Each structure stands twice: as C-alpha cells, then as structure tokens.
Amino acid sequence: MTDDARGSTPLVDEAMKKAAVAWVSVAGGPALALWCAPLEGALLVVTGPGEQAAPGLADATEAQVTLRGDHGGRIVTWPARVSRVQPGTEAWDTTAPLVAAKRLNAPGPTADLVTRWAADGCAVNRLTPAGTPLAGADLSADAQAEPPRATPAIRATRKPFRLHRVRRR
C-alpha cells in the first residue's frame, strides 16, 4: 500500500525512522555509506567541507537509497527525490538545528555547527521517497560488493625484524 502524497510505503517509513546510515548512489555511481537523520518522512544528509563527502549529491535531483536492517542485510532500496535546504530560509532555521543535534562528535555547540554549515557552503540534502521501492524477493541476490577504488596511497615495505644477528659459515 503506497501513500501517493509522498511516494512512500510503511516499510520505507519504518526503515527511515531507524536509519542512522544510508547507502546513497547518485547518477549510477557507487553507493556511499552516509550518515543521515530521519525527519518528517525524509532522510537528511549533510555534505561539504568538514563533513562527509558525497560527490554530486548536492547538485542532484534524484538518487537511489538503500537501507539495511538490524541484522545488517538490505531490507529496502528506493528512488529518492533530492532537494537542498537553503541557508537563511524558514526550512533551514527549523531543519538544520534538528539535524545538527543528531550529529555525533560534533565540534562545539549545535548553533555553532549550523552557522559553520551555512558559512562553509555545506549542503543539507533532503532525500524523499519518490517511486516504487524494492524489498524482499525484488532485491537483487548479489552482494553488491565493488572492487576497491584506485588510490595513490601505498604501504611501505619494511625489512623483517631480527632479534639477533645470523652468522654465516
């Protein structure tokens, strides 16, 4: 049973209420694990300088969201409509402090965090259900594991540790 006003289902609503992390994919890119806060039938994700990186999310209009259950497995994947909450608006004044209060390990008071988000150009993105979700047997059976991404980081090779000197004959 779908709620036509929001494009949501009871499963999506319940999964969002319990969500602390969502896997979000933008424009067919890799799904990124992002900290999120549920609020009023949507997930709010903060991205930008000093916050989590989600390339393309702030400028996107659509995304794919996957939520996992208490057991760690996928329970639902749904298309989302992405909108940005703009600083200086009434929506920002009510939403940003609520999201900032749920931010773990935030540096400083909530009001300072909201001010920094606005000054640094951070994006508070609202992900709202906007289509038919996939759940249960409709979800793909593959693990959705992706190969490691290329990185310039390397691991230094060390010489083996020797406790004593080895004599040669």
Side-chain angles (χ1 to χ4, degrees), residues 51-64:
E51 297 298 327
Q52 56 198 349
L57 183 60
D59 300 323
T61 57
E62 297 176 340
Q64 195 77 7

Side-chain angles (χ1 to χ4, degrees), residues 23-32 34 57 62-66:
W23 280 257
V24 180
S25 174
V26 177
L32 301 172
L34 300 174
L57 183 60
E62 297 176 340
Q64 195 77 7
V65 178
T66 298

Side-chain angles (χ1 to χ4, degrees), residues 82-103:
V82 181
S83 59
R84 188 169 175 177
V85 181
Q86 297 294 333
T89 63
E90 184 178 332
W92 176 273
D93 294 340
T94 57
T95 304
L98 295 173
V99 175
K102 294 187 179 214
R103 165 83 157 66

Side-chain angles (χ1 to χ4, degrees), residues 33-89:
L34 300 174
W35 168 83
C36 62
L39 184 66
E40 299 172 355
L43 292 178
L44 295 160
V45 177
V46 181
T47 60
E51 297 298 327
Q52 56 198 349
L57 183 60
D59 300 323
T61 57
E62 297 176 340
Q64 195 77 7
V65 178
T66 298
L67 298 176
R68 300 192 181 260
D70 295 335
H71 56 76
R74 287 176 292 159
I75 58 171
V76 66
T77 297
W78 45 274
R81 183 173 43 255
V82 181
S83 59
R84 188 169 175 177
V85 181
Q86 297 294 333
T89 63

Side-chain angles (χ1 to χ4, degrees), residues 87-88 92-93 96-97 100 107 109-122 124:
W92 176 273
D93 294 340
T110 301
D112 292 350
L113 185 59
V114 171
T115 303
R116 183 179 64 80
W117 287 348
D120 291 350
C122 290
V124 176

